[in-house]
Amino acid sequence: MTRMMPVGPTIVGALTSAILLFTTGCSGQSDTPAPAAAMQSSAPAAAMRIEKPAKLLGTWTESVDRVIRGQAEQTMGNFKKLLAAGPTSATGTAYVRAEEVYSRERGLHIPSDDQRVILISAVSGTITDPTATLDKIFAGLPKVTDVGSVVPGPLGGVAGCGTGQAGTGIPVDVCVWSDQHTIGMVTFMNFAKTDDPRSVFGQIRAELERPAR
């Protein structure tokens, strides 16, 4: 079931408020250490790089909202600081269900009842300790709770997901992976539990990673 919100001129602002709560703190520390999210599988044999798809999950289009994309880019920049050396590739962007349009009355908005947004921040390079890196990221996201390990999938490494709610009431699910070659975060905004964002997380990661050339 898709979570719907009334379409109006404030929806992008509300989504932006939610993003600000969850994507600016990966270099900080919370008072309580993040739960270890250490469900691990073997790392891929070859180094990987990050490439954003033209269409996410086949139908999601890249957002043109510079504020929303800017938050994903900020998280991407924080992830670069967690690498042992410089990044070999990186992306910070967002995807929406329908291409945004602009009108004088409503500004930039999503012309659809489906107001879900997916933010993606990911980098590739050398990660010395994937488990410690994952824990550090969640420790810097104190608004994200109920953090638990999830299966990282065939690409290996460690992965975890947590949940939260913005002051606007918009639900937010945050999933992060870390392995020897890549770090990535997928933030699901306005997804219902029946949308199963944790399952979708694995599909998105698979679309982002490619063997390094």
Side-chain angles (χ1 to χ4, degrees):
M1 179 183 298
T2 300
R3 181 181 295 272
M4 303 295 184
M5 289 189 66
V7 180
T10 63
I11 186 62
V12 171
L15 290 173
T16 301
S17 297
I19 295 166
L20 289 170
L21 291 176
F22 293 99
T23 62
T24 58
C26 74
S27 60
Q29 295 293 326
S30 62
D31 294 334
T32 304
M39 186 176 291
Q40 185 164 0
S41 64
S42 59
M48 306 294 282
R49 63 178 288 108
I50 302 297
E51 293 184 8
K52 68 178 181 180
K55 292 282 187 179
L56 187 69
L57 301 172
T59 59
W60 289 67
T61 187
E62 189 172 16
S63 173
V64 298
D65 189 293
R66 289 182 293 179
V67 175
I68 294 176
R69 291 176 60 172
Q71 296 304 319
E73 290 170 358
Q74 181 175 340
T75 299
M76 174 192 71
N78 286 334
F79 284 174
K80 289 180 180 180
K81 301 173 185 177
L82 301 176
L83 299 173
T88 56
S89 64
T91 191
T93 191
Y95 290 85
V96 292
R97 288 292 288 157
E99 186 174 346
E100 296 131 319
V101 297
Y102 178 84
S103 69
R104 182 177 300 178
E105 296 78 15
R106 301 173 62 186
L108 186 66
H109 63 281
I110 303 170
S112 167
D113 287 340
D114 189 342
Q115 298 289 299
R116 292 176 296 173
V117 177
I118 298 174
L119 279 79
I120 293 173
S121 304
V123 299
S124 66
T126 300
I127 295 89
T128 304
D129 188 334
T131 299
T133 298
L134 186 73
D135 287 345
K136 183 174 183 179
I137 291 170
F138 277 114
L141 297 170
K143 298 291 185 179
V144 178
T145 59
D146 299 323
V147 177
S149 60
V150 297
V151 177
L155 292 172
V158 291
C161 292
T163 60
Q165 189 175 71
T168 55
I170 294 175
V172 179
D173 294 88
V174 178
C175 292
V176 181
W177 83 84
S178 177
D179 60 34
Q180 294 177 352
H181 310 296
T182 62
I183 304 168
M185 175 187 289
V186 182
T187 303
F188 301 90
M189 304 187 62
N190 210 29
F191 274 62
K193 290 183 179 180
T194 51
D195 291 327
D196 197 10
R198 297 188 182 201
S199 175
V200 177
F201 163 65
Q203 300 175 46
I204 292 175
R205 182 187 176 189
E207 291 187 13
L208 292 171
E209 291 195 50
R210 295 289 181 268
R213 292 189 289 268

